[in-house]
Amino acid sequence: MQVPIGQLIRDELRRQGKTNQWLASQIHVNPRTINKIFLKNVIDTHQLLLISKALDFDFFKAFSEELH
């Protein structure tokens, strides 16, 4: 089963009550890029690291749990 990373990011962002605009400013991208990220099933690891730091949430853990 593939981890729907974009959905996980969107869900965590909403859980924290933060906006797409806020995340875009944190990772230095256009707010429209955030909407594109939400649709992704795969993501660049550097971008995922930036998002993980911005949201203080380990999105990599979702992938490592797939190994077990």
Side-chain angles (χ1 to χ4, degrees):
M1 180 176 119
Q2 190 175 31
V3 177
I5 191 62
Q7 183 178 345
L8 292 176
I9 293 167
R10 183 186 66 225
D11 292 349
E12 181 60 23
L13 184 69
R14 299 293 181 260
R15 188 188 71 74
Q16 292 186 21
K18 296 179 177 167
T19 65
N20 294 12
Q21 180 91 16
W22 177 87
L23 183 56
S25 70
Q26 296 299 303
I27 65 171
H28 309 290
V29 298
N30 185 300
R32 285 190 279 179
T33 301
I34 300 302
N35 287 326
K36 292 178 183 175
I37 288 171
F38 293 160
L39 299 174
K40 292 184 175 187
N41 288 323
V42 295
I43 190 170
D44 175 80
T45 54
H46 178 70
Q47 190 170 52
L48 187 59
L49 178 61
L50 293 175
I51 294 168
S52 292
K53 286 181 177 181
L55 291 172
D56 192 30
F57 186 88
D58 185 2
F59 289 102
F60 291 95
K61 186 175 181 180
F63 290 104
S64 64
E65 287 175 352
E66 287 278 319
L67 296 173
H68 304 290

